[in-house]
Amino acid sequence: MSRHPEPRRPARIVPTARPGDGHRLLVTLDGSDARSYDRAVAMLTPRLERSLGPGVFANRAVGRGTIATTRLEPWRAAWERWRRALREIPDTPVLRLDVASFYGSVGERTLRRAIGAGADDVLAVLRVLW
C-alpha cells in the first residue's frame, strides 16, 4: 500500500514531441487538483524566480504572485534569450541539461529544505498526486 493517498482525479500522462527528435512525457492535472497545485505554487513562484541567477535561461513564469505565475512563457522566448547571450559572450563554456528524470528523484525532505517557508501547501498537493 502506498503511503500517499490516491489522487482525486488521476493525472494524465501526455507524450509530447521534443524539438529535434523523440518525445517527453508531461503530466496534466484536471479540475480541483490543477487548481490546488496552481494556488500552492503561485504563492512561491515570485520568490523562486528571484532566486534564479542571470545564467538561467529556462522559460520563466509569467505574472506576479497570482495564479498566472504558474504558467510559463513560451519556450521559444527563453531559447532566443539564450541564443542572444551566446552571441554576446563567445567562447564561453555552456552546459545544457534536460531535467526530465530529475523530478521523480526528489523527495519530500529535499523539497521542504529547498522551498523553505511556504513548503507545506505545495507538499500537501504533491502528497495527493504522488
Side-chain angles (χ1 to χ4, degrees):
M1 180 168 170
S2 170
R3 65 179 191 194
H4 301 293
E6 288 298 314
R8 289 180 286 274
R9 288 175 192 77
R12 288 181 291 134
I13 299 175
V14 181
T16 305
R18 295 174 89 161
D21 190 26
H23 72 279
R24 70 179 72 225
L25 301 175
L26 299 178
V27 174
T28 303
L29 304 177
D30 288 323
S32 63
D33 289 329
R35 287 187 296 279
S36 295
Y37 178 83
D38 285 352
R39 276 192 303 275
V41 171
M43 304 316 285
L44 297 174
T45 303
R47 179 170 55 91
L48 296 174
E49 282 287 316
R50 285 190 304 271
S51 75
L52 298 175
V56 175
F57 290 97
N59 49 343
R60 306 299 285 265
V62 298
R64 296 284 180 256
T66 64
I67 297 301
T69 62
T70 61
R71 305 293 181 254
L72 295 176
E73 70 178 332
W75 67 270
R76 288 185 198 278
W79 180 260
E80 287 304 318
R81 227 181 3 263
W82 179 72
R83 289 175 55 116
R84 280 192 306 273
L86 286 181
R87 285 193 298 271
E88 293 171 11
I89 50 171
D91 301 323
T92 300
V94 174
L95 179 62
R96 184 174 168 189
L97 302 169
D98 187 342
V99 296
S101 53
F102 168 75
Y103 295 106
S105 69
V106 177
E108 200 171 318
R109 192 174 327 151
T110 302
L111 282 173
R112 180 174 296 287
R113 198 170 43 246
I115 295 171
D120 291 341
D121 291 340
V122 171
L123 292 173
V125 172
L126 291 176
R127 274 187 215 106
V128 170
L129 299 174
W130 276 323

